[in-house]
Each structure stands twice: as structure tokens, then as C-alpha cells.
Amino acid sequence: MAVETTIPTTTSTSLGPAANEKDAEKLRFIDEMTAYADAVQEKVLAEILSRNAETEYLQRYKLGGATDRATFKAKIPMVTYEDLQPEIQRIANGDRSPILSAHPISEFLTSSGTSAGERKLMPTIKEELDRRQLLYSLLTPVMNLYVPGLDKGKALYFYFVKSETRTPGGLLARPVLTSYYKSEHFKSRPYDPYNVITSPTPAILCADSFQSMYVQMLCGLLHRLQVLRVGAVFASGLLRAIRFLQLHWEELARDIAAGSLSPKITDLSVRDSVADILQPDPELAEFVRAECSTGEWAGIITRIWPSTKYLDVIVTGAMAQYIPTLEHYSGGLPMACTMYASSECYFGLNLRPMCKPSDVSYTIMPNMAYFEFLPLELAATRKGDGDVQLVDLARVEVGKEYELVITTYSGLCRYRVGDILRVTGFHNAAPQFRFVRRKNVLLSIESDKTDEAELQKAVESASELLKPYNATVVEYTSHAFTKTIPGHYIIYWELLVKDCSQGRTPGGEVMERCCLAMEEALNSVYRQSRVADGSIGPLEIRVVRGGTFEELMDYAISRGASINQYKVPRCVNFPPILELLDSRVVSAHFSPALPNWSPQRSG
């Protein structure tokens, strides 16, 4: 009797059956990199140290051309951005000598993290674009394992560029995604049936956020029956798109009915990009009006784009606060978080992209950079002075939390990224991590990151306006309010007015000025989000009645907090505490104007 044998197809991989041979090749690459994670890491470090051996930075620590881990760990210190600022400033000012990297610095990527209120400048080299492109190329083969048929339709992705500047030495400084969208990798990308997006490239590259969003939404509506996935980089970006539709559907419907583009779109390349696809379509216009005029927005994504299989958005970290709103607008569609990246480095990808947001774990790709991990209990120390042992990628322990430390091809050495990660497991020999939080971040609506020191400085700055009224801020806390779009910061103030007898209490106008003063004191990423992007609404101060913070302490103690160790939380998210605060509000005030912001760095 013949025994049947199963002959594996060329597209079978350990991650699952690939959609095609091209995908299989990419999935096998993931397997190979992760199976030999430690050896790949050793090779990456040797490459970085070898090519940068003659740089001023490595020469300073007398590596003597060594490329092994032991010498590297013994001689190179762990650093923060502030430690590297003098070198970065020299490069920004035009010093082209090999300071951090033997390869020329091609541009600076501006981080959403800030230092002294300004975006951090991350040096990068040309070949990093190839590394980023490589990671992007792995995302679709993984997604095809879980969602078949993505080559049969289009993706409605809302992508935007942000303003860019030049440093005194003439190098471009811009966010990493702006750099990518303006690169030939993106602009001249070959046709790929699995990655056809509805947005024309000129609309994505348009610096005017209204014109960009308008045309991207218009094209999304024109292609509505072909759209299989809807997304933006961050959850907040997709919600801004929905809000835009709520505000502008009538105008969009008019353009669709007439087959002509609104005169508000003045960018000629953007107008040209839709000339061929915008034809009069009264039926579609009527459909848009019917869906949007009722005021019922629940499930709007699947009502307008009925073939949508999932949302492609980052909903980990600070973005998790937007999950309920996205569920409301999408009728509960799955949310795929596909990759983990930053300005400093692209790190890895999610090998189970259709899992629940709370279960997202990213597998770090060991070929991207050299990765080390500072155990969280040691992360409070500012530097590793030889006594702090960093853990290698392949040697982290499941269940433990670490701060990520990277050494990159661009010349960052043992650099503390500030991300806190928890190890959830391994894929082959490569660990998988859940993003826990950014270190020291209190408030975040979108890409803004406000820490406790910045918030304190802003409160102090605004409270100066209370002095003529003999009033002071006794206590304060904050909350990132995201139930409206855009979200905004709420600051709860308890005031002490020392002399009310003459009726000179700070009135509404003074409190509004306090709101604006706080905004003026916040970092440039916050102010850009307010002024240029419109992705954060006006800051709000809610004044609570006297004794509210005492009640807050009593509540915390009733739940087990130690009276001796109790500190007022500077940010609150726990619903019962928010309810307590809101029930004690005596007045609420919003910033009456936009804070100052210009694309030029002040430093």
C-alpha cells in the first residue's frame, strides 16, 4: 500500500503558508534573522564598530579598533541625548569631520521627544533609508498570512508631511516619516498590488494640512468600494480624518456631484493629481450626504467603506486611549499595529498583527541595530558607570521590564531611547516586547510628550499672572482629554485667593490668559501640534473648589495609599478620580488664542 507524503510547497514557512514566492522569501528572512539573533547582533556590532573606528567619538574611548562585545561594554558609556548634544550641535553647525559616523550625516530626523523644549535632532545616514525600507517590506508578507486578498483592492491611508528646516550648517531637519515620504523609496516605489493606496503622492507631500487631508479624503470616497483597509500612522491621525469628514462632508459631496475640485485646493500638483479620477458622480454624492447628514457617526467607517477588513493604526502606548473611539467609528473592526519604530532607529514588527491591541508584542529584528536592555530597576541611574550591566537582546528574561538602549549605524552608541518594554516571549531566539510606556511622559495627545518638569514649569509660568490678585495655585493635576477630536490638555487648579475683600479675584479673562501662558511654556512639539497640525485643541484650566485635593488624598488613602508617602499625582486617568475632580469644578477656561510657533528652531 502506497504511503502518501506531503511535499512542502516553496511558499511554506515556519510563520505560515506565504501568499506567493516573494512573500516566502521575506518570511524566511525573518526566520533566519530571529533564529540566529545573537550571532546577527554580534555581526551588527562588529560592523558598526569597524566602520566607525576612526570617528572622534570612538577614538575618545580608546577602543583601539576592537569590535568585540566585551571591549565595547567595558569602554563605551551609556548616554542620553543631553550627553551627545555638544557633538550633535557641532554637526548641525556644519562640522563635517567624522564625529559620530564615518559615513556623512545626510540629515537630522527630528524626534517627537524634546530636550529643553526643542525637538531632539537625530543624525542619520543615507543607507538608513534602505534599512527602513527593508523593515517596511516585511510588513505585507506578515499581514498576508492573516488577511488574504489584499491585492484585490486598495488602502485608504492618511499620510502627512510636516514642516522641515535647515540647521545652521545646511542639513535638513525633519520628522522621520516626512523624510521617508519625500524619499525616492516612497515617491518612486514600484507598483505592488498589495500596497495600492488611494491617496495621490502629491496630496501626501502637500505641506498644507487642509489641502492634503481634503484630497486624501476625497480620493478615499471616490474609491470607497475598493477600499479594503483604512489607516493612519497613529490612531489620533485616523480620528482627525473622521473629524474632518464630519466638518467637510457637504463640500466634498458638492465636488463629487460636480466633478470639480474646490477652489480652496490651490496646490497645482495636488489639483492635477485628481484631474483624471474626479468625474461628476451625483449618485456617490447623494450617498455621502445620506450617510453624513443624519449626525449618526457610529460605524461610519464600515458604512462608507463597506469592504474594510481592518484598521491599520498604532494603538499601543499613549495611543491606547483612542481604542474605544475607534471601535465606535469602525463598528468594532480589528486594529492592526504592524511595526515599532522611532526617529533614532526602526526596531521591529508585530508577527501577529491581527491580535487584540492589549496583546500587541513586537519582535525586534536583530539586523536593524545593536540592542541592549537596561533592567528597569536600574534605569533610575543616569549612566552606566561600569557597574550597571546591560542585557543583550538574546538574553532578556520573559516578564521583566527594560529600558531600550541602542547602538546604530548612524553613530549613536549605547543611547538610551527612553522606551520601557516588557518581554512577553520569543520568536525563535529573538525576544518579543510589549511597549509599556515612554519614560517620564505625563501627557500625550498625539506625538506630543509632556513630562512632569515641563508641566510644572508651565504652571509656574502661568501662575505669575495671578500675582496681582494675591492668588496662587495651591495644587494641580492634569488629564489628556481625548473624548473630543482633537483632544486637549485639561489642567485642574485649586486656587488660594489671599484677600477677596476688595473683590479682586482672577476673572475669566485672566484665567484664559493663564491657559495661553501655559501653552506658550510647553515644548515645540506641543505648539506645532496646536498651530500647524491642528491635532491638539486649546488647553483648558478647570478651577476646583478649595479642599478638593484634600478629598483626593482621602480617597487615595481609603484605597490603601500610605498617608506618609502620598504625593499628588500630576496626571490622572482613573475614572473615579476624574469624576471627583469634575464634580468639584467651579469654572472652566480655554486658551483664547494659538501659542507662538514657527518652523525655525529657536536654538
Side-chain angles (χ1 to χ4, degrees):
M1 181 182 169
V3 179
E4 282 188 23
T5 57
T6 306
I7 300 169
T9 64
T10 54
T11 55
S12 66
T13 74
S14 74
L15 286 161
N20 50 57
E21 184 47 48
K22 188 176 154 200
D23 277 13
E25 193 183 311
K26 295 292 187 185
L27 296 175
R28 285 194 283 266
F29 175 77
I30 293 171
D31 259 344
E32 187 185 337
M33 289 295 109
T34 54
Y36 303 103
D38 199 45
V40 173
Q41 281 281 276
E42 200 159 15
K43 179 171 174 279
V44 164
L45 180 64
E47 281 176 5
I48 292 171
L49 295 180
S50 164
R51 66 150 66 173
N52 290 333
E54 300 302 314
T55 59
E56 181 185 315
Y57 191 79
L58 288 185
Q59 293 272 324
R60 183 184 307 164
Y61 294 105
K62 299 182 171 48
L63 235 61
T67 59
D68 63 288
R69 284 183 190 178
T71 310
F72 171 75
K73 287 171 179 282
K75 296 197 171 187
I76 304 294
M78 186 166 59
V79 294
T80 62
Y81 182 79
E82 287 66 30
D83 296 323
L84 293 179
Q85 216 159 3
E87 286 78 14
I88 287 170
Q89 202 57 58
R90 281 171 54 201
I91 299 167
N93 289 343
D95 190 332
R96 295 288 179 267
S97 63
I99 299 172
L100 297 175
S101 166
H103 286 224
I105 300 300
S106 54
E107 63 181 319
F108 283 106
L109 302 176
T110 54
S111 164
S112 57
T114 57
S115 176
E118 291 286 352
R119 284 178 180 268
K120 294 176 181 174
L121 291 174
M122 294 298 161
T124 191
I125 57 178
K126 265 210 172 70
E127 72 173 48
E128 278 300 313
L129 267 169
D130 299 330
R131 241 181 297 279
R132 285 180 218 126
Q133 184 62 42
L134 172 61
L135 193 62
Y136 281 128
S137 76
L138 305 177
L139 304 182
T140 300
V142 171
M143 187 57 81
N144 287 343
L145 295 171
Y146 295 90
V147 185
L150 292 177
D151 56 333
K152 304 295 188 287
K154 300 185 177 188
L156 167 53
Y157 287 161
F158 295 96
Y159 289 155
F160 304 96
V161 296
K162 296 201 173 185
S163 63
E164 54 187 44
T165 59
R166 287 199 181 268
T167 66
L171 285 172
L172 274 173
R174 54 193 180 181
V176 64
L177 289 171
T178 298
S179 168
Y180 176 67
Y181 298 147
K182 291 190 171 186
S183 73
E184 291 308 314
H185 284 81
F186 181 77
K187 291 193 296 186
S188 305
R189 61 196 184 279
Y191 174 77
D192 174 0
Y194 290 92
N195 280 300
V196 179
I197 60 176
T198 56
S199 297
T201 299
I204 293 169
L205 297 180
C206 178
D208 182 308
S209 59
F210 173 85
Q211 294 187 56
S212 176
M213 178 75 89
Y214 190 92
V215 170
Q216 291 192 60
M217 181 62 77
L218 180 68
C219 292
L221 294 171
L222 294 172
H223 295 290
R224 78 178 196 91
L225 295 176
Q226 296 164 273
V227 168
L228 299 181
R229 50 206 159 137
V230 175
V233 177
F234 292 111
S236 53
L238 183 51
L239 289 176
R240 273 171 54 215
I242 300 301
R243 179 66 181 150
F244 189 91
L245 181 63
Q246 291 173 343
L247 295 173
H248 299 287
W249 59 266
E250 291 176 83
E251 210 170 338
L252 288 158
R254 267 201 307 275
D255 284 6
I256 292 167
S260 62
L261 192 55
S262 163
K264 289 181 182 173
I265 310 306
T266 55
D267 186 309
L268 292 179
S269 66
V270 175
R271 294 190 72 86
D272 289 347
S273 71
V274 293
D276 292 342
I277 57 168
L278 183 56
Q279 307 295 331
D281 191 339
E283 195 180 331
L284 174 58
E286 194 45 49
F287 170 81
V288 171
R289 288 191 190 104
E291 287 296 338
C292 298
S293 61
T294 63
E296 177 50 70
W297 294 94
I300 190 68
I301 291 174
T302 41
R303 281 159 41 202
I304 289 190
W305 297 283
S307 302
T308 308
K309 296 171 185 272
Y310 66 91
L311 304 181
D312 192 334
V313 281
I314 293 172
V315 286
T316 49
M319 291 296 131
Q321 62 194 330
Y322 297 108
I323 292 170
T325 317
L326 282 174
E327 285 176 336
H328 172 74
Y329 287 135
S330 72
L333 281 175
M335 298 172 208
C337 297
T338 55
M339 67 184 287
Y340 171 37
S342 77
S343 311
E344 295 92 336
C345 177
Y346 277 29
F347 305 119
L349 70 169
N350 181 3
L351 295 178
R352 292 192 306 120
M354 298 305 282
C355 68
K356 290 190 310 195
S358 55
D359 294 337
V360 170
S361 284
Y362 299 105
T363 303
I364 291 199
M365 287 297 289
N367 56 306
M368 298 302 291
Y370 183 67
F371 301 103
E372 296 175 280
F373 298 85
L374 176 61
L376 193 57
E377 61 270 20
L378 303 175
T381 57
R382 203 183 75 83
K383 285 196 176 192
D385 293 321
D387 53 343
V388 176
Q389 287 300 307
L390 299 191
V391 181
D392 285 327
L393 178 70
R395 292 178 179 80
V396 294
E397 294 176 46
V398 173
K400 286 202 169 177
E401 292 188 359
Y402 300 89
E403 183 185 337
L404 180 58
V405 178
I406 59 171
T407 297
T408 68
Y409 285 90
S410 302
L412 295 177
C413 279
R414 306 196 96 185
Y415 176 84
R416 293 175 73 163
V417 174
D419 287 1
I420 307 299
L421 309 175
R422 181 184 303 124
V423 187
T424 55
F426 282 79
H427 176 72
N428 294 330
Q432 298 178 302
F433 294 91
R434 182 158 305 147
F435 180 90
V436 178
R437 59 186 168 86
R438 285 282 303 173
K439 202 173 64 175
N440 301 333
V441 172
L442 274 189
L443 291 168
S444 179
I445 297 289
E446 197 191 43
S447 56
D448 55 301
K449 298 177 177 70
T450 298
D451 65 25
E452 190 166 332
E454 282 180 309
L455 184 62
Q456 173 73 29
K457 181 166 76 80
V459 169
E460 286 170 359
S461 174
S463 60
E464 287 292 309
L465 298 172
L466 301 176
K467 281 187 176 171
Y469 303 89
N470 230 347
T472 55
V473 178
V474 183
E475 258 324 337
Y476 70 91
T477 190
S478 65
H479 175 64
F481 186 79
T482 54
K483 289 191 173 67
T484 55
I485 306 168
H488 68 284
Y489 289 7
I490 297 174
I491 318 296
Y492 294 92
W493 277 12
E494 185 176 319
L495 299 180
L496 175 63
V497 182
K498 297 194 180 80
D499 181 13
C500 303
S501 57
Q502 295 165 0
R504 276 180 61 75
T505 57
E509 190 193 337
V510 175
M511 294 308 300
E512 286 181 1
R513 281 169 46 221
C514 287
C515 294
L516 183 56
M518 280 199 72
E519 293 199 300
E520 295 282 11
L522 291 171
N523 64 62
S524 65
V525 177
Y526 173 89
R527 286 179 284 115
Q528 178 175 354
S529 297
R530 277 279 283 127
V531 177
D533 306 334
S535 54
I536 299 180
L539 181 141
E540 178 184 3
I541 292 176
R542 294 184 182 176
V543 179
V544 295
R545 70 178 187 223
T548 297
F549 281 83
E550 287 279 332
E551 292 181 63
L552 207 63
M553 181 175 75
D554 292 343
Y555 179 80
I557 290 164
S558 75
R559 287 176 52 86
S562 158
I563 192 162
N564 295 318
Q565 293 178 297
Y566 176 79
K567 286 196 311 216
V568 173
R570 291 304 178 209
C571 178
V572 293
N573 295 304
F574 189 46
I577 291 184
L578 287 168
E579 282 170 27
L580 189 155
L581 286 165
D582 285 332
S583 69
R584 306 296 190 270
V585 170
V586 293
S587 63
H589 314 272
F590 288 89
S591 182
L594 292 170
N596 282 312
W597 176 81
S598 80
Q600 300 305 318
R601 290 172 63 83
S602 62

